[in-house]
């Protein structure tokens, strides 16, 4: 069972006292050391015996981990905290099936009380290294899972802020609804990433739509994706959405020009390779910068 499934299964069973303990471990994420149960009495307002008992149960449930110097959250524990927060805000009522597994994220379907289907993206920064650690059963110097959780939370914040700004300027991106910890809640887009699209009626028209959105993101919102490719554009047969913005940079960033050109080039190359659409990077990069009004595509 994945950590998100594990978390979803337990969210409804956990008691108020369990959440106090999970939140105490969450508050400890920035610290260098794990928390010892005896040190949690103040922050949880629980007796040491109860804390020990509940930590043991949370460990068996796979939400926390016991280390030589105390306890810490594991991925399912952080997932549970995020899911519970979304549920407490009445945003979701259940977790559905996996939609997409990226290198550094898991995307799941989530369902509202009214039966509307959303997508939740859980950040998994450091996942590959986590596995190595579990195999070796030891910590690599400086690479604590807590640090990756904090980095995952930061990535979610960056993507949330970028998406909010892009939505404001009507760029075609998922209209993000909320962020909790390392997780983003957004509408589920019913389509395929470009790399999985074998045929298109009007590839040139689709390419123009993508470029118009890259241009609007840059000129109006002042944001560059920085990781745009056929893997990060969803196509539903008519419309396109640019997804995956945790590495988004501001147009004032020192590498802005290089990143913008790379984004554009990835897309142009894909459309040439798969659909034979010819274009000139120079023309298109002038277009996305607002130096000309139309990109010349053949
Ligand atoms: N709002 C959404 N609606 C539907 N599917 C989505 C949505 N957001 C993401 N996905 C799916 O989840 C996959 C992973 O999402 P995303 O690209 O944002 O994460 P990622 O971890 O950065 O992926 P990678 O690192 O492999 O590029 C996407 O390829 C897509 O299939
Ligand atoms: Mg992606």
């Amino acid at each position: 069972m994945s950590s998100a499934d594990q978390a979803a299964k337990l969210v409804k069973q956990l008691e108020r006292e369990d959440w106090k303990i999970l939140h105490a471990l969450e508050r400890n994420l920035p610290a260098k050391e794990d928390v010892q149960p005896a040190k949690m009495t103040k922050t949880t307002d629980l007796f040491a015996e109860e804390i020990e008992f509940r930590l043991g149960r949370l460990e068996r449930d796979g939400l926390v981990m016991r280390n030589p110097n105390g306890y810490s959250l594991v991925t399912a524990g952080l997932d549970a905290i995020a899911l519970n927060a979304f549920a407490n805000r009445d945003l979701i009522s259940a977790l559905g099936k996996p939609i997409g597994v990226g290198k550094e994220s898991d995307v799941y379907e989530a369902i509202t009380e009214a039966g509307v289907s959303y997508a939740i993206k859980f950040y998994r920064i450091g996942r590959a290294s986590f596995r190595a650690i579990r195999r070796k059963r030891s910590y690599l110097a400086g690479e604590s899972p807590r640090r990756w959780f904090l980095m995952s939370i930061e990535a979610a914040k960056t993507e949330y802020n970028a998406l909010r700004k892009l939505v404001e300027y009507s760029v075609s991106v998922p209209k993000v609804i909320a962020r909790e910890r390392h997780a983003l809640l957004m509408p589920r887009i019913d389509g395929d990433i470009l790399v999985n699209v074998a045929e298109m009626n009007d590839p040139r028209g689709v390419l123009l739509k993508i470029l118009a959105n890259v241009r609007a993101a840059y000129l109006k919102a002042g944001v560059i994706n920085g990781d745009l490719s056929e893997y990060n554009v969803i196509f539903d047969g008519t419309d396109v959405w640019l997804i995956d913005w945790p590495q988004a940079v501001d147009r004032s960033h020192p590498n802005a020009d290089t990143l913008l050109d790379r984004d554009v080039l990835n897309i142009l190359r894909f459309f040439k390779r798969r659909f034979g659409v010819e274009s000139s990077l120079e023309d298109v990069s002038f277009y996305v910068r607002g130096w000309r009004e139309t990109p010349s595509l053949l």
Side-chain angles (χ1 to χ4, degrees):
M1 194 187 285
S2 77
S3 67
D5 286 323
Q6 176 80 356
K9 192 183 81 175
L10 292 162
V11 163
K12 287 178 183 148
Q13 293 169 23
L14 295 178
E15 294 163 343
R16 217 167 60 91
E17 293 77 8
D18 296 315
W19 290 115
K20 282 186 176 178
I21 291 172
L22 290 174
H23 287 138
L25 296 183
E26 182 191 8
R27 280 194 298 275
N28 191 58
L29 286 177
K32 287 218 164 55
E33 304 286 325
D34 290 326
V35 207
Q36 290 172 4
K39 295 248 172 74
M40 292 166 70
T41 49
K42 266 214 188 93
T43 50
T44 58
D45 212 15
L46 301 169
F47 288 114
E49 297 75 27
E50 178 168 9
I51 295 171
E52 291 269 10
F53 164 74
R54 287 183 183 274
L55 277 168
R57 212 165 57 177
L58 291 168
E59 190 194 7
R60 275 198 306 283
D61 284 339
L63 299 183
V64 310
M65 178 168 66
R66 188 163 61 138
N67 303 311
N69 295 318
Y71 283 84
S72 61
L73 280 180
V74 299
T75 305
L78 194 62
D79 289 358
I81 291 174
L83 287 172
N84 189 48
F86 285 133
N88 286 340
R89 291 169 66 183
D90 287 329
L91 292 170
I92 60 167
S93 63
L95 193 72
K97 294 196 166 59
I99 301 176
V101 175
K103 283 185 301 295
E104 304 213 302
S105 80
D106 287 334
V107 180
Y108 274 78
E109 180 189 29
I111 299 138
T112 68
E113 201 72 58
V116 179
S117 173
Y118 286 149
I120 297 190
K121 177 174 181 176
F122 295 95
Y123 272 92
R124 306 286 189 226
I125 309 267
R127 167 150 61 190
S129 325
F130 256 122
R131 292 206 181 109
I133 284 179
R134 219 178 295 140
R135 271 200 303 279
K136 291 187 204 141
R137 295 183 174 281
S138 68
Y139 289 98
L140 302 169
E143 291 287 5
S144 90
R146 277 202 305 277
R147 217 167 64 87
W148 287 317
F149 288 155
L150 294 174
M151 287 166 70
S152 293
I153 294 169
E154 283 310 310
K157 279 185 194 166
T158 310
E159 177 158 29
Y160 179 81
N161 291 336
L163 289 174
R164 289 296 296 248
K165 207 181 219 179
L166 291 159
V167 168
E168 198 183 312
Y169 289 97
S170 305
V171 181
S172 187
V173 297
K175 290 195 174 62
V176 68
I177 296 156
R179 175 190 70 85
E180 284 294 347
R181 282 69 178 192
H182 63 321
L184 293 184
L185 182 68
M186 52 194 157
R188 180 179 183 178
I189 297 160
D190 198 6
D192 275 316
I193 49 174
L194 284 181
V195 73
N196 295 334
V197 177
E199 282 175 36
M200 249 178 220
N201 288 335
D202 178 18
R204 194 176 162 278
V206 175
L207 175 55
L208 288 173
K209 278 187 188 173
I210 295 170
L211 296 176
N213 279 291
V214 172
R215 175 184 162 112
Y218 181 76
L219 284 183
K220 295 189 194 154
V223 177
I224 299 162
N225 181 296
D227 190 28
L228 196 65
S229 72
E230 60 274 30
Y231 292 90
N232 287 331
V233 178
I234 299 185
F235 177 59
D236 72 354
T238 310
D239 290 316
V240 294
W241 284 266
L242 312 188
I243 63 163
D244 206 4
W245 297 77
Q247 65 296 309
V249 300
D250 199 86
R251 66 182 276 187
S252 63
H253 188 276
N255 293 336
D257 279 310
T258 315
L259 293 168
L260 181 62
D261 285 339
R262 197 179 64 187
D263 279 0
V264 167
L265 190 60
N266 286 340
I267 296 294
L268 295 183
R269 277 195 181 136
F270 172 77
F271 275 82
K272 166 126 192 341
R273 201 167 60 233
R274 183 147 312 169
F275 303 112
V277 180
E278 300 277 352
S279 53
S280 131
L281 174 62
E282 192 177 278
D283 283 355
V284 174
S285 62
F286 278 24
Y287 166 70
V288 296
R289 285 173 172 79
W291 298 341
R292 52 185 299 167
E293 285 312 306
T294 49
S296 54
L297 303 180
L298 302 173

